Amino acid sequence: MASYIVKRLLLMLPTLVGVMLITFIVTQFVPGGPVEQLISQLEGSAQAGEASSGTEGLYRGARGLTEEHVEKLNALYGFDKPAYQRFFIMMWNYFQFDLGDSYFHNKSVMELIVSKLPVSISLGFWSFIIIYSVCIPLGIKKAIRDGSHFDVITSTIILIGYAIPGFVLGVVLLVLLGGGSFLDVFPLKGIVSDNWHDLPWYQQVLDYLWHMVLPITASIVGSFAIITMLTKNSFIEEIRKQYVVTARAKGLSDNAVLYKHVFRNAIIPIVTGFPGAFIAAFFTSSLLIETIFSLDGLGLLSYESILKRDYPVVLGSLFFFTILGLFAKLLTDISYVLIDPRIQYESVGR
């Protein structure tokens, strides 16, 4: 197992470099880079100022920036160096955990990521807890009562939820319960109220949870179907195996067969997905959900960074999350061995 982990860790390096290289190359061909956007903003504001004042002496708005000014801007953003040199400098800094500074936010990339995490962690953590807490028991119940009215009704409900996009459900919830056309029950925006810091601690907790109800509901409804059906199918497959028939023939009760024999085998594909799902829950976010509920999280940050061509934020956050994703995959493979001793990765290459 140790040798397998070392091999996977060594393979992470070329994978990480490959992901960053492909993304870096793509950014070189995207029109309207940060320098062009800044020039456009400067010229647009200057032309607006000339139109209001009726003078052209303060700025060369009609003729644009001089070559010298453009060269200074390129040097400021590091575009005066060849692309390959900029890539190597960037990767060298990244491997020293220096993700650089944003072009437009006057903050380091790591500061920006950390500042947006409360929203993403709130959505991800509660979504993870609720989805697995509901779907695993529901999937087991559906497997036991396969083909019954309960199975058909619950399947219909969760599949309808799966078919409804999260952002559409979010809009409906706001209209119905967020002070739209019907009830004003839940807040419209943010994860806490404006006076949150002035509230006692227990009211702070309640206020936070109250703000989370609508965005979390919109986020999780579509995810119930996947985990529920995976759990159901996994248990059905195990229930139909010969060892279950043998256990029942020996006189074991249905609960003893289910939870002592079937459960530990059927739960393997679900539990082994925990590490990746848990890490993803903390660091993934939905742009549409954040926009609808006015939540300033990682999804909105990524979208704005792409539009503004804020390459340090785009590439720095990609580097950070790619590392997390690679480690999540490694933890998933390790969990297979810990849960099912029959799996031995060392023997694969022999």
Side-chain angles (χ1 to χ4, degrees), residues 208-343:
Y208 163 74
L209 294 176
W210 205 240
H211 278 76
M212 286 289 99
V213 171
L214 294 186
I216 289 175
T217 302
S219 300
I220 66 175
V221 169
S223 302
F224 281 140
I226 299 173
I227 305 299
T228 300
M229 300 310 293
L230 175 62
T231 304
K232 175 190 174 182
N233 294 334
S234 180
F235 272 80
I236 287 177
E237 182 182 355
E238 292 297 323
I239 288 172
R240 293 172 177 172
K241 289 185 177 179
Q242 184 62 41
Y243 74 87
V244 176
V245 177
T246 304
R248 286 174 175 167
K250 289 181 178 180
L252 292 178
S253 64
D254 288 340
N255 285 337
V257 172
L258 180 64
Y259 293 105
K260 289 185 178 180
H261 298 279
V262 174
F263 185 85
R264 63 183 181 182
N265 292 320
I267 205 68
I268 289 176
I270 295 97
V271 173
T272 49
F274 275 8
F278 190 71
I279 291 177
F282 276 87
F283 298 103
T284 56
S285 195
S286 171
L287 168 63
L288 294 175
I289 296 297
E290 289 181 8
T291 302
I292 291 170
F293 294 98
S294 300
L295 302 175
D296 189 12
L298 291 172
L300 195 57
L301 174 65
S302 300
Y303 177 70
E304 291 177 347
S305 300
I306 292 172
L307 287 183
K308 293 180 179 179
R309 306 296 190 266
D310 198 348
Y311 295 146
V313 177
V314 174
L315 295 170
S317 57
L318 176 66
F319 179 82
F320 180 70
F321 295 126
T322 301
I323 291 178
L324 290 178
L326 291 172
F327 274 102
K329 294 294 291 182
L330 177 60
L331 290 176
T332 299
D333 290 345
I334 294 174
S335 65
Y336 272 108
V337 177
L338 296 178
I339 295 172
D340 189 353
R342 295 172 297 178
I343 299 176

Side-chain angles (χ1 to χ4, degrees), residues 160-177:
I160 290 174
Y162 181 74
I164 300 175
F167 68 92
V168 174
L169 180 60
V171 173
V172 173
L173 291 174
L174 283 177
V175 172
L176 295 179
L177 302 174

